[in-house]
Amino acid sequence: GVSTLRLTRDLTVPLGETVQVPSDTVFDCDGHEVTSTVARTGLGLYLNDGATLKDCRVTNFNVGVSLSRSAGVTVTNVTADRNRIGIYLVNGTRDALVIKSTVTNNDFGIRLEPEVSSSRVESNTLSNNATQGIGLHGATSITVVSNAVFGGREGISLHSSTRSTISDNTVTGARDGLRVVGGSSENRFATNRVTGGLTAIFVDADAAQNEFTANQLERNVNGVYVVTGAGEGNRFIANTISGSAEIGIRDDGAPGDTQYEGNTCSEVAPPSQPAGLCDP
């Protein structure tokens, strides 16, 4: 059966040591903090198969929370602050859930790489993570839903990732809101809201066969930017673009490589380059 370990005080982890959460164990920090003795070094907590981490504040590590080669792990109501990587799913981790957590002031917020699969990142708040809020690198069949991302260079980023669903997220003030590069393919981006950044949706580097549907892109400098070198078969359907400072949709690729249908641009001049990619 499942056992429970409960933290009764704040815990400082010496350099070179890691808190190992055993398989099929709930590790309940009960609101306490786990921190490193040396800034941004070491691994804070390592979760084995079937483990749950809850109600914990993890600070000042190289990696705050790690799931490596793990299956069936849950991270809930955890605050990861001032680490290099806040929450890290890596090396084939599968069937993991990261939910209702707060990830702030890291270089990378929640990062999944490589060969992580069939996992869910849901209802988290990520702010001021310098490089990425949520990053998928070589991941497959990931669901990223109902997260709020604020600031950073990349809000939600996919590199070499496939068959994932990115939906109902809000991204505010990231340089690139949704970034899809590195051969990422067959991913679906639906009903996300991206505001106040440089480029709301950025597609480059052989990314192909991705679908962007009913996203709201508001008050960004550029709404959609498809760069020369993006792959074929990307589709933009029924997206709403408003208040872009420079352009609604810019496509530098070969004509016909990317499909556009039923997109609307308002308070944007010009709406698209080339013309005709969105309706006024």
Side-chain angles (χ1 to χ4, degrees), residues 229-246:
E232 298 181 1
N234 295 302
R235 303 176 67 205
F236 289 85
I237 303 169
N239 299 283
T240 302
I241 304 164
S242 62
S244 296
E246 291 189 3

PDB file of all heavy atoms in Angstrom, residues 229-246:
ATOM      1  N   GLY A 229      12.119  27.990 -43.211  1.00  0.00           N
ATOM      2  CA  GLY A 229      12.685  26.790 -42.594  1.00  0.00           C
ATOM      3  C   GLY A 229      11.678  26.001 -41.796  1.00  0.00           C
ATOM      4  O   GLY A 229      11.944  24.870 -41.398  1.00  0.00           O
ATOM      5  N   ALA A 230      10.517  26.588 -41.527  1.00  0.00           N
ATOM      6  CA  ALA A 230       9.449  25.804 -40.897  1.00  0.00           C
ATOM      7  C   ALA A 230       9.007  24.702 -41.851  1.00  0.00           C
ATOM      8  O   ALA A 230       9.101  24.830 -43.078  1.00  0.00           O
ATOM      9  CB  ALA A 230       8.275  26.703 -40.533  1.00  0.00           C
ATOM     10  N   GLY A 231       8.531  23.603 -41.293  1.00  0.00           N
ATOM     11  CA  GLY A 231       8.123  22.472 -42.117  1.00  0.00           C
ATOM     12  C   GLY A 231       6.773  22.692 -42.776  1.00  0.00           C
ATOM     13  O   GLY A 231       6.123  23.735 -42.613  1.00  0.00           O
ATOM     14  N   GLU A 232       6.324  21.693 -43.482  1.00  0.00           N
ATOM     15  CA  GLU A 232       5.060  21.760 -44.202  1.00  0.00           C
ATOM     16  C   GLU A 232       3.909  21.245 -43.344  1.00  0.00           C
ATOM     17  O   GLU A 232       4.099  20.502 -42.385  1.00  0.00           O
ATOM     18  CB  GLU A 232       5.149  20.940 -45.485  1.00  0.00           C
ATOM     19  CG  GLU A 232       6.202  21.431 -46.460  1.00  0.00           C
ATOM     20  CD  GLU A 232       6.244  20.601 -47.727  1.00  0.00           C
ATOM     21  OE1 GLU A 232       5.437  19.656 -47.836  1.00  0.00           O
ATOM     22  OE2 GLU A 232       7.097  20.884 -48.595  1.00  0.00           O
ATOM     23  N   GLY A 233       2.698  21.652 -43.748  1.00  0.00           N
ATOM     24  CA  GLY A 233       1.494  21.076 -43.177  1.00  0.00           C
ATOM     25  C   GLY A 233       1.036  21.658 -41.857  1.00  0.00           C
ATOM     26  O   GLY A 233       0.139  21.100 -41.220  1.00  0.00           O
ATOM     27  N   ASN A 234       1.628  22.777 -41.411  1.00  0.00           N
ATOM     28  CA  ASN A 234       1.084  23.451 -40.239  1.00  0.00           C
ATOM     29  C   ASN A 234      -0.219  24.143 -40.627  1.00  0.00           C
ATOM     30  O   ASN A 234      -0.361  24.646 -41.737  1.00  0.00           O
ATOM     31  CB  ASN A 234       2.088  24.472 -39.697  1.00  0.00           C
ATOM     32  CG  ASN A 234       3.352  23.803 -39.174  1.00  0.00           C
ATOM     33  OD1 ASN A 234       3.285  22.963 -38.290  1.00  0.00           O
ATOM     34  ND2 ASN A 234       4.503  24.177 -39.732  1.00  0.00           N
ATOM     35  N   ARG A 235      -1.176  24.168 -39.677  1.00  0.00           N
ATOM     36  CA  ARG A 235      -2.495  24.733 -39.980  1.00  0.00           C
ATOM     37  C   ARG A 235      -2.891  25.738 -38.907  1.00  0.00           C
ATOM     38  O   ARG A 235      -2.770  25.464 -37.708  1.00  0.00           O
ATOM     39  CB  ARG A 235      -3.554  23.629 -40.063  1.00  0.00           C
ATOM     40  CG  ARG A 235      -3.251  22.538 -41.076  1.00  0.00           C
ATOM     41  CD  ARG A 235      -4.299  21.451 -41.016  1.00  0.00           C
ATOM     42  NE  ARG A 235      -5.606  21.938 -41.462  1.00  0.00           N
ATOM     43  CZ  ARG A 235      -6.765  21.411 -41.091  1.00  0.00           C
ATOM     44  NH1 ARG A 235      -6.791  20.394 -40.238  1.00  0.00           N
ATOM     45  NH2 ARG A 235      -7.897  21.896 -41.554  1.00  0.00           N
ATOM     46  N   PHE A 236      -3.389  26.885 -39.343  1.00  0.00           N
ATOM     47  CA  PHE A 236      -3.914  27.909 -38.441  1.00  0.00           C
ATOM     48  C   PHE A 236      -5.392  28.096 -38.772  1.00  0.00           C
ATOM     49  O   PHE A 236      -5.741  28.530 -39.882  1.00  0.00           O
ATOM     50  CB  PHE A 236      -3.155  29.221 -38.616  1.00  0.00           C
ATOM     51  CG  PHE A 236      -1.746  29.170 -38.085  1.00  0.00           C
ATOM     52  CD1 PHE A 236      -0.710  28.680 -38.867  1.00  0.00           C
ATOM     53  CD2 PHE A 236      -1.466  29.603 -36.801  1.00  0.00           C
ATOM     54  CE1 PHE A 236       0.582  28.617 -38.379  1.00  0.00           C
ATOM     55  CE2 PHE A 236      -0.180  29.546 -36.296  1.00  0.00           C
ATOM     56  CZ  PHE A 236       0.856  29.052 -37.086  1.00  0.00           C
ATOM     57  N   ILE A 237      -6.260  27.780 -37.796  1.00  0.00           N
ATOM     58  CA  ILE A 237      -7.694  27.761 -38.041  1.00  0.00           C
ATOM     59  C   ILE A 237      -8.408  28.567 -36.960  1.00  0.00           C
ATOM     60  O   ILE A 237      -8.254  28.307 -35.760  1.00  0.00           O
ATOM     61  CB  ILE A 237      -8.236  26.319 -38.044  1.00  0.00           C
ATOM     62  CG1 ILE A 237      -7.510  25.465 -39.084  1.00  0.00           C
ATOM     63  CG2 ILE A 237      -9.738  26.301 -38.289  1.00  0.00           C
ATOM     64  CD1 ILE A 237      -7.805  23.985 -38.974  1.00  0.00           C
ATOM     65  N   ALA A 238      -9.170  29.570 -37.359  1.00  0.00           N
ATOM     66  CA  ALA A 238     -10.090  30.296 -36.469  1.00  0.00           C
ATOM     67  C   ALA A 238      -9.379  30.913 -35.269  1.00  0.00           C
ATOM     68  O   ALA A 238      -9.922  30.947 -34.159  1.00  0.00           O
ATOM     69  CB  ALA A 238     -11.228  29.388 -36.014  1.00  0.00           C
ATOM     70  N   ASN A 239      -8.168  31.415 -35.492  1.00  0.00           N
ATOM     71  CA  ASN A 239      -7.487  32.169 -34.449  1.00  0.00           C
ATOM     72  C   ASN A 239      -7.893  33.642 -34.523  1.00  0.00           C
ATOM     73  O   ASN A 239      -8.195  34.159 -35.600  1.00  0.00           O
ATOM     74  CB  ASN A 239      -5.971  32.034 -34.608  1.00  0.00           C
ATOM     75  CG  ASN A 239      -5.519  30.589 -34.485  1.00  0.00           C
ATOM     76  OD1 ASN A 239      -5.448  30.048 -33.394  1.00  0.00           O
ATOM     77  ND2 ASN A 239      -5.212  29.954 -35.622  1.00  0.00           N
ATOM     78  N   THR A 240      -7.887  34.292 -33.374  1.00  0.00           N
ATOM     79  CA  THR A 240      -8.264  35.702 -33.291  1.00  0.00           C
ATOM     80  C   THR A 240      -7.037  36.512 -32.888  1.00  0.00           C
ATOM     81  O   THR A 240      -6.445  36.274 -31.831  1.00  0.00           O
ATOM     82  CB  THR A 240      -9.383  35.914 -32.271  1.00  0.00           C
ATOM     83  OG1 THR A 240     -10.512  35.120 -32.642  1.00  0.00           O
ATOM     84  CG2 THR A 240      -9.791  37.374 -32.204  1.00  0.00           C
ATOM     85  N   ILE A 241      -6.669  37.475 -33.730  1.00  0.00           N
ATOM     86  CA  ILE A 241      -5.463  38.275 -33.512  1.00  0.00           C
ATOM     87  C   ILE A 241      -5.880  39.733 -33.446  1.00  0.00           C
ATOM     88  O   ILE A 241      -6.521  40.246 -34.361  1.00  0.00           O
ATOM     89  CB  ILE A 241      -4.463  38.051 -34.663  1.00  0.00           C
ATOM     90  CG1 ILE A 241      -4.152  36.552 -34.799  1.00  0.00           C
ATOM     91  CG2 ILE A 241      -3.189  38.848 -34.437  1.00  0.00           C
ATOM     92  CD1 ILE A 241      -3.491  36.184 -36.105  1.00  0.00           C
ATOM     93  N   SER A 242      -5.511  40.399 -32.348  1.00  0.00           N
ATOM     94  CA  SER A 242      -5.921  41.796 -32.198  1.00  0.00           C
ATOM     95  C   SER A 242      -4.813  42.617 -31.550  1.00  0.00           C
ATOM     96  O   SER A 242      -4.055  42.120 -30.715  1.00  0.00           O
ATOM     97  CB  SER A 242      -7.198  41.889 -31.351  1.00  0.00           C
ATOM     98  OG  SER A 242      -6.983  41.400 -30.046  1.00  0.00           O
ATOM     99  N   GLY A 243      -4.742  43.874 -31.960  1.00  0.00           N
ATOM    100  CA  GLY A 243      -3.861  44.834 -31.309  1.00  0.00           C
ATOM    101  C   GLY A 243      -2.385  44.592 -31.507  1.00  0.00           C
ATOM    102  O   GLY A 243      -1.562  45.092 -30.716  1.00  0.00           O
ATOM    103  N   SER A 244      -1.986  43.859 -32.554  1.00  0.00           N
ATOM    104  CA  SER A 244      -0.561  43.649 -32.800  1.00  0.00           C
ATOM    105  C   SER A 244       0.088  44.950 -33.261  1.00  0.00           C
ATOM    106  O   SER A 244      -0.439  45.638 -34.140  1.00  0.00           O
ATOM    107  CB  SER A 244      -0.346  42.560 -33.856  1.00  0.00           C
ATOM    108  OG  SER A 244      -0.831  41.321 -33.399  1.00  0.00           O
ATOM    109  N   ALA A 245       1.251  45.264 -32.709  1.00  0.00           N
ATOM    110  CA  ALA A 245       1.896  46.536 -33.016  1.00  0.00           C
ATOM    111  C   ALA A 245       2.471  46.567 -34.427  1.00  0.00           C
ATOM    112  O   ALA A 245       2.521  47.633 -35.058  1.00  0.00           O
ATOM    113  CB  ALA A 245       3.001  46.805 -31.996  1.00  0.00           C
ATOM    114  N   GLU A 246       2.906  45.387 -34.953  1.00  0.00           N
ATOM    115  CA  GLU A 246       3.546  45.384 -36.264  1.00  0.00           C
ATOM    116  C   GLU A 246       2.751  44.609 -37.302  1.00  0.00           C
ATOM    117  O   GLU A 246       2.494  45.125 -38.386  1.00  0.00           O
ATOM    118  CB  GLU A 246       4.970  44.832 -36.165  1.00  0.00           C
ATOM    119  CG  GLU A 246       5.915  45.771 -35.417  1.00  0.00           C
ATOM    120  CD  GLU A 246       7.362  45.337 -35.511  1.00  0.00           C
ATOM    121  OE1 GLU A 246       7.647  44.327 -36.198  1.00  0.00           O
ATOM    122  OE2 GLU A 246       8.215  46.008 -34.883  1.00  0.00           O
TER     123      GLU A 246
END
